Amino acid sequence: MKNCPCNPKKDYQDCCAIIHNDITKATTAEQMMRSRYSAFVRSDIAYLQRSHLSSLRPNKQQAKDLEKWTKSVNWIKLNVLNITDGLENDTTGTVEFKAFYLQKGKVQVIHELSRFCKENDHWVYQEQIG
C-alpha cells in the first residue's frame, strides 16, 4: 500500500491513481485539485498538461521547467482550506489550498486560490486567481 500524496489516509491506487488513469473520474473541482497536487508530487507532467485548460496549457519549455522543479523539491503535505462551488453539477469552482514542500533545506508553502472549470465535460485547472 502506497499512501496517496493528497491524503495519506488513503491508498494512491484507491484515490488519485483512478483520476490519473481516467481524468473524467474527477467529479468535483476539489478532486481535480487533489489529483493535480499528487501529480506534482509524482512529477507526472503529462497529467498536469492534460488536466490544464487547453487554451492556457503550458508550452513544452514551461512543462520541461516544471518537471525539473517538481523533481528538485520534496513535497510534505496538502491542506485544503476552502472550496466554493465545483460540485458535480457545477461548471466552475474554486479551491484554496496550501501545499508544503522542502527546498534546499527550507520549508516552503504555495498558498493559492485556484479556479477550475469544465472542458469537454470534465474538470480542469483554469488559473490561479489569488
PDB file of all heavy atoms in Angstrom, residues 4-27:
ATOM      1  N   CYS A   4      -1.535   7.976  -0.665  1.00  0.00           N
ATOM      2  CA  CYS A   4      -1.773   8.982  -1.691  1.00  0.00           C
ATOM      3  C   CYS A   4      -1.193  10.313  -1.208  1.00  0.00           C
ATOM      4  O   CYS A   4      -1.428  10.705  -0.060  1.00  0.00           O
ATOM      5  CB  CYS A   4      -3.267   9.134  -1.970  1.00  0.00           C
ATOM      6  SG  CYS A   4      -3.554  10.109  -3.474  1.00  0.00           S
ATOM      7  N   PRO A   5      -0.459  11.011  -2.068  1.00  0.00           N
ATOM      8  CA  PRO A   5       0.093  12.302  -1.656  1.00  0.00           C
ATOM      9  C   PRO A   5      -0.965  13.306  -1.192  1.00  0.00           C
ATOM     10  O   PRO A   5      -0.715  14.094  -0.285  1.00  0.00           O
ATOM     11  CB  PRO A   5       0.796  12.810  -2.921  1.00  0.00           C
ATOM     12  CG  PRO A   5       1.137  11.579  -3.686  1.00  0.00           C
ATOM     13  CD  PRO A   5      -0.004  10.627  -3.408  1.00  0.00           C
ATOM     14  N   CYS A   6      -2.151  13.272  -1.782  1.00  0.00           N
ATOM     15  CA  CYS A   6      -3.178  14.259  -1.432  1.00  0.00           C
ATOM     16  C   CYS A   6      -3.850  13.963  -0.097  1.00  0.00           C
ATOM     17  O   CYS A   6      -4.442  14.845   0.501  1.00  0.00           O
ATOM     18  CB  CYS A   6      -4.221  14.366  -2.545  1.00  0.00           C
ATOM     19  SG  CYS A   6      -5.629  13.244  -2.396  1.00  0.00           S
ATOM     20  N   ASN A   7      -3.759  12.711   0.358  1.00  0.00           N
ATOM     21  CA  ASN A   7      -4.385  12.303   1.614  1.00  0.00           C
ATOM     22  C   ASN A   7      -3.712  11.020   2.105  1.00  0.00           C
ATOM     23  O   ASN A   7      -4.036   9.940   1.621  1.00  0.00           O
ATOM     24  CB  ASN A   7      -5.886  12.075   1.426  1.00  0.00           C
ATOM     25  CG  ASN A   7      -6.583  11.710   2.715  1.00  0.00           C
ATOM     26  OD1 ASN A   7      -5.956  11.404   3.726  1.00  0.00           O
ATOM     27  ND2 ASN A   7      -7.901  11.732   2.686  1.00  0.00           N
ATOM     28  N   PRO A   8      -2.770  11.130   3.046  1.00  0.00           N
ATOM     29  CA  PRO A   8      -2.019   9.958   3.498  1.00  0.00           C
ATOM     30  C   PRO A   8      -2.883   8.857   4.128  1.00  0.00           C
ATOM     31  O   PRO A   8      -2.413   7.741   4.301  1.00  0.00           O
ATOM     32  CB  PRO A   8      -1.046  10.522   4.532  1.00  0.00           C
ATOM     33  CG  PRO A   8      -1.155  11.994   4.483  1.00  0.00           C
ATOM     34  CD  PRO A   8      -2.362  12.365   3.684  1.00  0.00           C
ATOM     35  N   LYS A   9      -4.144   9.162   4.418  1.00  0.00           N
ATOM     36  CA  LYS A   9      -5.036   8.138   4.992  1.00  0.00           C
ATOM     37  C   LYS A   9      -5.622   7.236   3.911  1.00  0.00           C
ATOM     38  O   LYS A   9      -6.299   6.267   4.210  1.00  0.00           O
ATOM     39  CB  LYS A   9      -6.150   8.801   5.792  1.00  0.00           C
ATOM     40  CG  LYS A   9      -5.639   9.528   7.017  1.00  0.00           C
ATOM     41  CD  LYS A   9      -6.750  10.208   7.771  1.00  0.00           C
ATOM     42  CE  LYS A   9      -6.150  10.942   8.964  1.00  0.00           C
ATOM     43  NZ  LYS A   9      -7.061  11.906   9.543  1.00  0.00           N
ATOM     44  N   LYS A  10      -5.381   7.590   2.633  1.00  0.00           N
ATOM     45  CA  LYS A  10      -5.907   6.800   1.518  1.00  0.00           C
ATOM     46  C   LYS A  10      -4.757   6.180   0.735  1.00  0.00           C
ATOM     47  O   LYS A  10      -3.657   6.735   0.671  1.00  0.00           O
ATOM     48  CB  LYS A  10      -6.750   7.672   0.585  1.00  0.00           C
ATOM     49  CG  LYS A  10      -8.037   8.161   1.204  1.00  0.00           C
ATOM     50  CD  LYS A  10      -8.869   8.912   0.185  1.00  0.00           C
ATOM     51  CE  LYS A  10     -10.207   9.333   0.769  1.00  0.00           C
ATOM     52  NZ  LYS A  10     -11.033   9.993  -0.238  1.00  0.00           N
ATOM     53  N   ASP A  11      -5.047   5.057   0.107  1.00  0.00           N
ATOM     54  CA  ASP A  11      -4.092   4.403  -0.759  1.00  0.00           C
ATOM     55  C   ASP A  11      -4.113   5.090  -2.131  1.00  0.00           C
ATOM     56  O   ASP A  11      -5.191   5.393  -2.652  1.00  0.00           O
ATOM     57  CB  ASP A  11      -4.455   2.922  -0.889  1.00  0.00           C
ATOM     58  CG  ASP A  11      -3.459   2.154  -1.721  1.00  0.00           C
ATOM     59  OD1 ASP A  11      -2.328   1.979  -1.262  1.00  0.00           O
ATOM     60  OD2 ASP A  11      -3.827   1.752  -2.840  1.00  0.00           O
ATOM     61  N   TYR A  12      -2.945   5.338  -2.704  1.00  0.00           N
ATOM     62  CA  TYR A  12      -2.861   6.019  -4.002  1.00  0.00           C
ATOM     63  C   TYR A  12      -3.723   5.317  -5.054  1.00  0.00           C
ATOM     64  O   TYR A  12      -4.433   5.972  -5.817  1.00  0.00           O
ATOM     65  CB  TYR A  12      -1.395   6.103  -4.458  1.00  0.00           C
ATOM     66  CG  TYR A  12      -1.241   6.601  -5.871  1.00  0.00           C
ATOM     67  CD1 TYR A  12      -1.498   7.936  -6.197  1.00  0.00           C
ATOM     68  CD2 TYR A  12      -0.860   5.745  -6.889  1.00  0.00           C
ATOM     69  CE1 TYR A  12      -1.375   8.397  -7.496  1.00  0.00           C
ATOM     70  CE2 TYR A  12      -0.727   6.197  -8.202  1.00  0.00           C
ATOM     71  CZ  TYR A  12      -0.994   7.522  -8.499  1.00  0.00           C
ATOM     72  OH  TYR A  12      -0.871   7.965  -9.784  1.00  0.00           O
ATOM     73  N   GLN A  13      -3.688   3.989  -5.093  1.00  0.00           N
ATOM     74  CA  GLN A  13      -4.445   3.242  -6.106  1.00  0.00           C
ATOM     75  C   GLN A  13      -5.955   3.444  -5.969  1.00  0.00           C
ATOM     76  O   GLN A  13      -6.689   3.327  -6.945  1.00  0.00           O
ATOM     77  CB  GLN A  13      -4.109   1.743  -6.039  1.00  0.00           C
ATOM     78  CG  GLN A  13      -2.681   1.433  -6.460  1.00  0.00           C
ATOM     79  CD  GLN A  13      -2.357   1.930  -7.869  1.00  0.00           C
ATOM     80  OE1 GLN A  13      -3.159   1.831  -8.792  1.00  0.00           O
ATOM     81  NE2 GLN A  13      -1.174   2.489  -8.033  1.00  0.00           N
ATOM     82  N   ASP A  14      -6.411   3.758  -4.742  1.00  0.00           N
ATOM     83  CA  ASP A  14      -7.843   3.961  -4.495  1.00  0.00           C
ATOM     84  C   ASP A  14      -8.233   5.437  -4.510  1.00  0.00           C
ATOM     85  O   ASP A  14      -9.378   5.776  -4.237  1.00  0.00           O
ATOM     86  CB  ASP A  14      -8.224   3.354  -3.135  1.00  0.00           C
ATOM     87  CG  ASP A  14      -8.006   1.867  -3.084  1.00  0.00           C
ATOM     88  OD1 ASP A  14      -8.134   1.209  -4.134  1.00  0.00           O
ATOM     89  OD2 ASP A  14      -7.675   1.350  -1.993  1.00  0.00           O
ATOM     90  N   CYS A  15      -7.277   6.294  -4.795  1.00  0.00           N
ATOM     91  CA  CYS A  15      -7.542   7.729  -4.728  1.00  0.00           C
ATOM     92  C   CYS A  15      -7.131   8.380  -6.056  1.00  0.00           C
ATOM     93  O   CYS A  15      -7.814   8.191  -7.064  1.00  0.00           O
ATOM     94  CB  CYS A  15      -6.779   8.321  -3.531  1.00  0.00           C
ATOM     95  SG  CYS A  15      -7.264  10.007  -3.069  1.00  0.00           S
ATOM     96  N   CYS A  16      -6.035   9.081  -6.085  1.00  0.00           N
ATOM     97  CA  CYS A  16      -5.650   9.855  -7.272  1.00  0.00           C
ATOM     98  C   CYS A  16      -5.273   9.006  -8.484  1.00  0.00           C
ATOM     99  O   CYS A  16      -5.428   9.469  -9.614  1.00  0.00           O
ATOM    100  CB  CYS A  16      -4.534  10.820  -6.921  1.00  0.00           C
ATOM    101  SG  CYS A  16      -5.138  12.212  -5.917  1.00  0.00           S
ATOM    102  N   ALA A  17      -4.807   7.788  -8.271  1.00  0.00           N
ATOM    103  CA  ALA A  17      -4.458   6.938  -9.422  1.00  0.00           C
ATOM    104  C   ALA A  17      -5.665   6.732 -10.329  1.00  0.00           C
ATOM    105  O   ALA A  17      -5.518   6.672 -11.556  1.00  0.00           O
ATOM    106  CB  ALA A  17      -3.912   5.587  -8.950  1.00  0.00           C
ATOM    107  N   ILE A  18      -6.837   6.645  -9.749  1.00  0.00           N
ATOM    108  CA  ILE A  18      -8.069   6.458 -10.529  1.00  0.00           C
ATOM    109  C   ILE A  18      -8.253   7.634 -11.493  1.00  0.00           C
ATOM    110  O   ILE A  18      -8.556   7.446 -12.670  1.00  0.00           O
ATOM    111  CB  ILE A  18      -9.288   6.312  -9.586  1.00  0.00           C
ATOM    112  CG1 ILE A  18      -9.157   5.019  -8.775  1.00  0.00           C
ATOM    113  CG2 ILE A  18     -10.594   6.359 -10.361  1.00  0.00           C
ATOM    114  CD1 ILE A  18     -10.119   4.926  -7.607  1.00  0.00           C
ATOM    115  N   ILE A  19      -8.034   8.849 -10.994  1.00  0.00           N
ATOM    116  CA  ILE A  19      -8.193  10.045 -11.811  1.00  0.00           C
ATOM    117  C   ILE A  19      -7.019  10.204 -12.779  1.00  0.00           C
ATOM    118  O   ILE A  19      -7.209  10.600 -13.933  1.00  0.00           O
ATOM    119  CB  ILE A  19      -8.372  11.291 -10.916  1.00  0.00           C
ATOM    120  CG1 ILE A  19      -9.644  11.128 -10.057  1.00  0.00           C
ATOM    121  CG2 ILE A  19      -8.447  12.570 -11.746  1.00  0.00           C
ATOM    122  CD1 ILE A  19      -9.775  12.135  -8.937  1.00  0.00           C
ATOM    123  N   HIS A  20      -5.826   9.857 -12.331  1.00  0.00           N
ATOM    124  CA  HIS A  20      -4.663   9.941 -13.231  1.00  0.00           C
ATOM    125  C   HIS A  20      -4.845   9.024 -14.440  1.00  0.00           C
ATOM    126  O   HIS A  20      -4.400   9.348 -15.535  1.00  0.00           O
ATOM    127  CB  HIS A  20      -3.369   9.591 -12.485  1.00  0.00           C
ATOM    128  CG  HIS A  20      -2.965  10.642 -11.502  1.00  0.00           C
ATOM    129  ND1 HIS A  20      -1.985  10.439 -10.560  1.00  0.00           N
ATOM    130  CD2 HIS A  20      -3.396  11.914 -11.305  1.00  0.00           C
ATOM    131  CE1 HIS A  20      -1.835  11.546  -9.842  1.00  0.00           C
ATOM    132  NE2 HIS A  20      -2.683  12.444 -10.270  1.00  0.00           N
ATOM    133  N   ASN A  21      -5.516   7.905 -14.233  1.00  0.00           N
ATOM    134  CA  ASN A  21      -5.762   6.954 -15.323  1.00  0.00           C
ATOM    135  C   ASN A  21      -6.969   7.327 -16.185  1.00  0.00           C
ATOM    136  O   ASN A  21      -7.060   6.909 -17.331  1.00  0.00           O
ATOM    137  CB  ASN A  21      -5.931   5.538 -14.775  1.00  0.00           C
ATOM    138  CG  ASN A  21      -4.628   4.998 -14.212  1.00  0.00           C
ATOM    139  OD1 ASN A  21      -3.558   5.282 -14.742  1.00  0.00           O
ATOM    140  ND2 ASN A  21      -4.707   4.251 -13.141  1.00  0.00           N
ATOM    141  N   ASP A  22      -7.915   8.086 -15.608  1.00  0.00           N
ATOM    142  CA  ASP A  22      -9.115   8.497 -16.345  1.00  0.00           C
ATOM    143  C   ASP A  22      -9.590   9.831 -15.779  1.00  0.00           C
ATOM    144  O   ASP A  22     -10.287   9.870 -14.764  1.00  0.00           O
ATOM    145  CB  ASP A  22     -10.214   7.435 -16.217  1.00  0.00           C
ATOM    146  CG  ASP A  22     -11.482   7.800 -16.979  1.00  0.00           C
ATOM    147  OD1 ASP A  22     -11.574   8.910 -17.562  1.00  0.00           O
ATOM    148  OD2 ASP A  22     -12.417   6.968 -16.981  1.00  0.00           O
ATOM    149  N   ILE A  23      -9.209  10.902 -16.446  1.00  0.00           N
ATOM    150  CA  ILE A  23      -9.463  12.260 -15.947  1.00  0.00           C
ATOM    151  C   ILE A  23     -10.950  12.526 -15.691  1.00  0.00           C
ATOM    152  O   ILE A  23     -11.298  13.337 -14.845  1.00  0.00           O
ATOM    153  CB  ILE A  23      -8.855  13.294 -16.922  1.00  0.00           C
ATOM    154  CG1 ILE A  23      -8.667  14.642 -16.238  1.00  0.00           C
ATOM    155  CG2 ILE A  23      -9.663  13.396 -18.201  1.00  0.00           C
ATOM    156  CD1 ILE A  23      -7.796  15.602 -17.009  1.00  0.00           C
ATOM    157  N   THR A  24     -11.829  11.810 -16.371  1.00  0.00           N
ATOM    158  CA  THR A  24     -13.268  12.025 -16.187  1.00  0.00           C
ATOM    159  C   THR A  24     -13.764  11.536 -14.830  1.00  0.00           C
ATOM    160  O   THR A  24     -14.896  11.824 -14.450  1.00  0.00           O
ATOM    161  CB  THR A  24     -14.090  11.346 -17.302  1.00  0.00           C
ATOM    162  OG1 THR A  24     -13.931   9.926 -17.202  1.00  0.00           O
ATOM    163  CG2 THR A  24     -13.665  11.832 -18.683  1.00  0.00           C
ATOM    164  N   LYS A  25     -12.924  10.822 -14.093  1.00  0.00           N
ATOM    165  CA  LYS A  25     -13.316  10.314 -12.765  1.00  0.00           C
ATOM    166  C   LYS A  25     -13.278  11.406 -11.702  1.00  0.00           C
ATOM    167  O   LYS A  25     -13.786  11.199 -10.604  1.00  0.00           O
ATOM    168  CB  LYS A  25     -12.432   9.141 -12.340  1.00  0.00           C
ATOM    169  CG  LYS A  25     -12.525   7.942 -13.266  1.00  0.00           C
ATOM    170  CD  LYS A  25     -13.870   7.276 -13.201  1.00  0.00           C
ATOM    171  CE  LYS A  25     -13.882   6.020 -14.058  1.00  0.00           C
ATOM    172  NZ  LYS A  25     -15.194   5.438 -14.187  1.00  0.00           N
ATOM    173  N   ALA A  26     -12.689  12.552 -11.999  1.00  0.00           N
ATOM    174  CA  ALA A  26     -12.725  13.684 -11.064  1.00  0.00           C
ATOM    175  C   ALA A  26     -14.091  14.335 -11.203  1.00  0.00           C
ATOM    176  O   ALA A  26     -14.375  14.987 -12.201  1.00  0.00           O
ATOM    177  CB  ALA A  26     -11.620  14.681 -11.380  1.00  0.00           C
ATOM    178  N   THR A  27     -14.939  14.136 -10.216  1.00  0.00           N
ATOM    179  CA  THR A  27     -16.307  14.650 -10.312  1.00  0.00           C
ATOM    180  C   THR A  27     -16.481  16.016  -9.651  1.00  0.00           C
ATOM    181  O   THR A  27     -17.542  16.618  -9.756  1.00  0.00           O
ATOM    182  CB  THR A  27     -17.314  13.652  -9.710  1.00  0.00           C
ATOM    183  OG1 THR A  27     -16.960  13.414  -8.344  1.00  0.00           O
ATOM    184  CG2 THR A  27     -17.295  12.338 -10.484  1.00  0.00           C
TER     185      THR A  27
END
